[in-house]
Amino acid sequence: MMTPITLLEKRRIVLGVTGSIAAYKAADLASKLTQAGALVDVIMTDAAQRFIAPLTFQALTGRAVYTDLWRMDASAGLPTHIAHVGLAEGAAALLIAPASADAIARIAHGFASDLLSITALAARCPVVIAPAMDGSMYENEAVQTNLALLRQRGVLVIEPEEGRFASGLTGRGRLPETAALISALRYALGRSGALSKRRIIVTAGGTREAIDPVRYLTNRSSGKQGYALAHACLDAGADVVLITAARGLEAPFGAQIVSVDSAKQMHDAVLSAAAGADALIMAAAVADFRPASAAEQKIKKLEQADAPTLILERTPDILTAVHDRRQITGYPRVVVGFAAESRNIREYARDKLERKGLDLIVANDITASDAGFDTDTNRATIYDRGGGEEFLGLTSKARISEAIIARVAALLAEKG
Ligand code: C5P
């Protein structure tokens, strides 16, 4: 089940499907885009219809599928001479996935002999192309030159993945999974948003503090809220640096990823990215304590000996270090912290807002089972410096992120 994505809701996305064995994956893509709230108009080339039927897309999107430039009945009753213009007009984006070598060549060279090529010519919206073909075809200079031409014209080309082909050979040319395709589409759609040209740092996940080479102390943070925030920033057009201690989450398309382990590494990464940044959103659950010294070798379990005693020390507080730096440099211009509390939420959050010199603090109640750590939903309150409180009832981490990002955009707009 796909949750709604605000950026896609009620937006018309033209999905071009071309002749590649990966065409079957476009059915999942059309379905997930529809579930996310988009109105998906599918155009299929003749070759695509040899791999998958138009009916599949019609059933999944609940909308007409366009296959033929000349036939009235295949153009959902639209007069054929305007169908191609009509499809491009008012579309939020044109996504071609999978894009065959043939389709890429036609579009790169401005052909107008089939409905998809004509729609690409008429399109004034962002165009995203996901090539999928055999590895040797993808590497061919003709294909690469055509892709370079498209990139030059502002088309977003999604790099195919490496792996096994239907032919049994391996190489680069596989269509990425649906989530990665949607992430790239979001990136293209978001570029002109309210945070366009803003540089935002987001931290995510729970840090790991080494006890020895194989053991560490950590916490229950999954990184989901931080990743949702990074997505929301990208949806609003920002350039995002995602400093993450989380594992196993799909990297949002277009974010610069900095992987870290410990609180100290996160501290150093945040401080070096903070210079010149418009905003910092500290969603990471940074360890407050770490072993005073990590053993160089694995600590052995000796039969007769007692269990070892761990001596802990404080980790550096990243937000306090950022606050000190900001008083001199003025950057990051907006700083947002999080508070995970189990009692006296308002009091602790307000105190933290002051002490850490924050513009906003987002407090969540970690005692609820449907909110906080490792859930897809959250329940939070945003406190600001003017004494304001915005309560966000139980909702998705994506919606919480959008509310936070709207506040960050407003603060940045105020600062000019
Ligand atoms: O003081 P507390 O850990 O509850 O504050 C939470 C906020 O402070 C979060 O935004 C967290 O990312 C940040 N933090 C930090 N450095 C630490 C611990 C927490 O910046 N060492």
Side-chain angles (χ1 to χ4, degrees), residues 1-6 8-9 32-33 35-37 186 376-377 396 398-399:
M1 180 53 197
M2 182 90 193
T3 49
I5 297 170
T6 306
L8 292 173
E9 266 175 318
K32 296 278 169 40
L33 286 173
Q35 288 175 41
R186 285 170 74 165
D376 290 320
T377 51
S396 66
R399 295 258 190 248

mmCIF file of all heavy atoms in Angstrom, residues 1-6 8-9 32-33 35-37 186 376-377 396 398-399:
data_model
loop_
_atom_site.group_PDB
_atom_site.id
_atom_site.type_symbol
_atom_site.label_atom_id
_atom_site.label_comp_id
_atom_site.label_asym_id
_atom_site.label_seq_id
_atom_site.Cartn_x
_atom_site.Cartn_y
_atom_site.Cartn_z
ATOM 1 N N MET A 1 0.859 -1.205 0.000
ATOM 2 C CA MET A 1 0.000 0.000 0.000
ATOM 3 C C MET A 1 0.889 1.247 0.000
ATOM 4 O O MET A 1 1.845 1.356 0.738
ATOM 5 C CB MET A 1 -0.907 -0.063 1.242
ATOM 6 C CG MET A 1 -1.883 1.093 1.427
ATOM 7 S SD MET A 1 -2.929 1.453 0.033
ATOM 8 C CE MET A 1 -3.481 3.076 0.460
ATOM 9 N N MET A 2 0.541 2.140 -0.865
ATOM 10 C CA MET A 2 1.327 3.374 -1.027
ATOM 11 C C MET A 2 0.559 4.509 -0.354
ATOM 12 O O MET A 2 -0.641 4.650 -0.574
ATOM 13 C CB MET A 2 1.428 3.619 -2.531
ATOM 14 C CG MET A 2 2.229 4.800 -2.924
ATOM 15 S SD MET A 2 3.938 4.327 -3.161
ATOM 16 C CE MET A 2 4.667 5.952 -3.220
ATOM 17 N N THR A 3 1.245 5.302 0.462
ATOM 18 C CA THR A 3 0.541 6.428 1.075
ATOM 19 C C THR A 3 0.502 7.601 0.094
ATOM 20 O O THR A 3 1.358 7.706 -0.779
ATOM 21 C CB THR A 3 1.235 6.880 2.379
ATOM 22 O OG1 THR A 3 2.615 7.029 2.094
ATOM 23 C CG2 THR A 3 1.052 5.876 3.491
ATOM 24 N N PRO A 4 -0.496 8.488 0.208
ATOM 25 C CA PRO A 4 -0.573 9.630 -0.713
ATOM 26 C C PRO A 4 0.674 10.504 -0.614
ATOM 27 O O PRO A 4 1.256 10.647 0.461
ATOM 28 C CB PRO A 4 -1.801 10.392 -0.216
ATOM 29 C CG PRO A 4 -2.571 9.433 0.600
ATOM 30 C CD PRO A 4 -1.592 8.470 1.174
ATOM 31 N N ILE A 5 1.078 11.041 -1.741
ATOM 32 C CA ILE A 5 2.218 11.957 -1.779
ATOM 33 C C ILE A 5 1.672 13.309 -2.244
ATOM 34 O O ILE A 5 1.154 13.419 -3.358
ATOM 35 C CB ILE A 5 3.311 11.436 -2.743
ATOM 36 C CG1 ILE A 5 3.861 10.088 -2.247
ATOM 37 C CG2 ILE A 5 4.435 12.457 -2.896
ATOM 38 C CD1 ILE A 5 4.765 9.363 -3.217
ATOM 39 N N THR A 6 1.754 14.297 -1.356
ATOM 40 C CA THR A 6 1.120 15.592 -1.639
ATOM 41 C C THR A 6 1.549 16.156 -2.993
ATOM 42 O O THR A 6 0.729 16.665 -3.744
ATOM 43 C CB THR A 6 1.473 16.588 -0.510
ATOM 44 O OG1 THR A 6 1.100 15.971 0.719
ATOM 45 C CG2 THR A 6 0.735 17.897 -0.650
ATOM 46 N N LEU A 8 2.213 14.738 -5.618
ATOM 47 C CA LEU A 8 1.629 14.022 -6.767
ATOM 48 C C LEU A 8 0.110 14.106 -6.803
ATOM 49 O O LEU A 8 -0.501 13.812 -7.830
ATOM 50 C CB LEU A 8 2.043 12.545 -6.725
ATOM 51 C CG LEU A 8 3.514 12.235 -6.976
ATOM 52 C CD1 LEU A 8 3.804 10.763 -6.744
ATOM 53 C CD2 LEU A 8 3.902 12.618 -8.402
ATOM 54 N N GLU A 9 -0.491 14.487 -5.682
ATOM 55 C CA GLU A 9 -1.947 14.433 -5.585
ATOM 56 C C GLU A 9 -2.636 15.299 -6.622
ATOM 57 O O GLU A 9 -2.345 16.485 -6.743
ATOM 58 C CB GLU A 9 -2.404 14.801 -4.169
ATOM 59 C CG GLU A 9 -2.572 13.554 -3.322
ATOM 60 C CD GLU A 9 -2.895 13.847 -1.880
ATOM 61 O OE1 GLU A 9 -2.284 14.762 -1.319
ATOM 62 O OE2 GLU A 9 -3.764 13.165 -1.334
ATOM 63 N N LYS A 32 1.291 2.324 -8.357
ATOM 64 C CA LYS A 32 1.772 3.064 -7.177
ATOM 65 C C LYS A 32 1.577 4.569 -7.357
ATOM 66 O O LYS A 32 1.243 5.276 -6.401
ATOM 67 C CB LYS A 32 3.253 2.754 -6.923
ATOM 68 C CG LYS A 32 3.522 1.291 -6.574
ATOM 69 C CD LYS A 32 3.263 1.028 -5.116
ATOM 70 C CE LYS A 32 3.252 -0.438 -4.686
ATOM 71 N NZ LYS A 32 4.224 -1.341 -5.251
ATOM 72 N N LEU A 33 1.769 5.063 -8.569
ATOM 73 C CA LEU A 33 1.550 6.499 -8.807
ATOM 74 C C LEU A 33 0.077 6.842 -8.589
ATOM 75 O O LEU A 33 -0.256 7.879 -8.009
ATOM 76 C CB LEU A 33 1.971 6.883 -10.234
ATOM 77 C CG LEU A 33 3.466 6.963 -10.514
ATOM 78 C CD1 LEU A 33 3.732 7.176 -12.011
ATOM 79 C CD2 LEU A 33 4.102 8.107 -9.711
ATOM 80 N N GLN A 35 -2.023 5.159 -6.651
ATOM 81 C CA GLN A 35 -2.267 5.077 -5.202
ATOM 82 C C GLN A 35 -1.749 6.316 -4.484
ATOM 83 O O GLN A 35 -2.303 6.747 -3.476
ATOM 84 C CB GLN A 35 -1.571 3.852 -4.616
ATOM 85 C CG GLN A 35 -2.212 2.533 -4.986
ATOM 86 C CD GLN A 35 -1.384 1.362 -4.466
ATOM 87 O OE1 GLN A 35 -0.874 1.396 -3.345
ATOM 88 N NE2 GLN A 35 -1.225 0.339 -5.273
ATOM 89 N N ALA A 36 -0.653 6.893 -5.001
ATOM 90 C CA ALA A 36 -0.071 8.087 -4.370
ATOM 91 C C ALA A 36 -0.916 9.327 -4.662
ATOM 92 O O ALA A 36 -0.663 10.387 -4.108
ATOM 93 C CB ALA A 36 1.356 8.290 -4.852
ATOM 94 N N GLY A 37 -1.910 9.198 -5.547
ATOM 95 C CA GLY A 37 -2.833 10.309 -5.786
ATOM 96 C C GLY A 37 -2.716 10.948 -7.158
ATOM 97 O O GLY A 37 -3.466 11.872 -7.480
ATOM 98 N N ARG A 186 9.585 12.714 -8.265
ATOM 99 C CA ARG A 186 9.346 13.750 -7.250
ATOM 100 C C ARG A 186 10.421 14.826 -7.339
ATOM 101 O O ARG A 186 10.129 16.017 -7.224
ATOM 102 C CB ARG A 186 9.358 13.135 -5.842
ATOM 103 C CG ARG A 186 8.120 12.355 -5.536
ATOM 104 C CD ARG A 186 8.266 11.573 -4.250
ATOM 105 N NE ARG A 186 8.185 12.428 -3.057
ATOM 106 C CZ ARG A 186 7.992 11.951 -1.831
ATOM 107 N NH1 ARG A 186 7.862 10.659 -1.634
ATOM 108 N NH2 ARG A 186 7.946 12.761 -0.793
ATOM 109 N N ASP A 376 5.364 4.312 11.051
ATOM 110 C CA ASP A 376 5.199 5.158 9.869
ATOM 111 C C ASP A 376 4.387 6.393 10.188
ATOM 112 O O ASP A 376 4.253 7.291 9.376
ATOM 113 C CB ASP A 376 4.521 4.371 8.735
ATOM 114 C CG ASP A 376 5.466 3.311 8.186
ATOM 115 O OD1 ASP A 376 6.668 3.614 8.058
ATOM 116 O OD2 ASP A 376 5.009 2.192 7.905
ATOM 117 N N THR A 377 3.804 6.379 11.388
ATOM 118 C CA THR A 377 2.990 7.527 11.790
ATOM 119 C C THR A 377 3.621 8.217 12.997
ATOM 120 O O THR A 377 4.482 7.649 13.674
ATOM 121 C CB THR A 377 1.563 7.070 12.183
ATOM 122 O OG1 THR A 377 1.673 5.999 13.113
ATOM 123 C CG2 THR A 377 0.780 6.628 10.966
ATOM 124 N N SER A 396 0.803 10.649 9.043
ATOM 125 C CA SER A 396 2.013 10.007 8.523
ATOM 126 C C SER A 396 3.233 10.884 8.799
ATOM 127 O O SER A 396 3.123 12.112 8.939
ATOM 128 C CB SER A 396 1.872 9.787 7.020
ATOM 129 O OG SER A 396 1.833 11.022 6.355
ATOM 130 N N ALA A 398 5.288 11.585 6.682
ATOM 131 C CA ALA A 398 5.391 12.443 5.494
ATOM 132 C C ALA A 398 4.632 13.751 5.728
ATOM 133 O O ALA A 398 5.143 14.836 5.448
ATOM 134 C CB ALA A 398 4.838 11.722 4.277
ATOM 135 N N ARG A 399 3.407 13.648 6.275
ATOM 136 C CA ARG A 399 2.605 14.868 6.517
ATOM 137 C C ARG A 399 3.245 15.729 7.602
ATOM 138 O O ARG A 399 3.234 16.944 7.522
ATOM 139 C CB ARG A 399 1.178 14.507 6.925
ATOM 140 C CG ARG A 399 0.410 13.817 5.836
ATOM 141 C CD ARG A 399 -0.567 14.787 5.144
ATOM 142 N NE ARG A 399 -1.452 14.058 4.268
ATOM 143 C CZ ARG A 399 -1.450 14.149 2.938
ATOM 144 N NH1 ARG A 399 -0.617 14.970 2.323
ATOM 145 N NH2 ARG A 399 -2.276 13.437 2.221
#
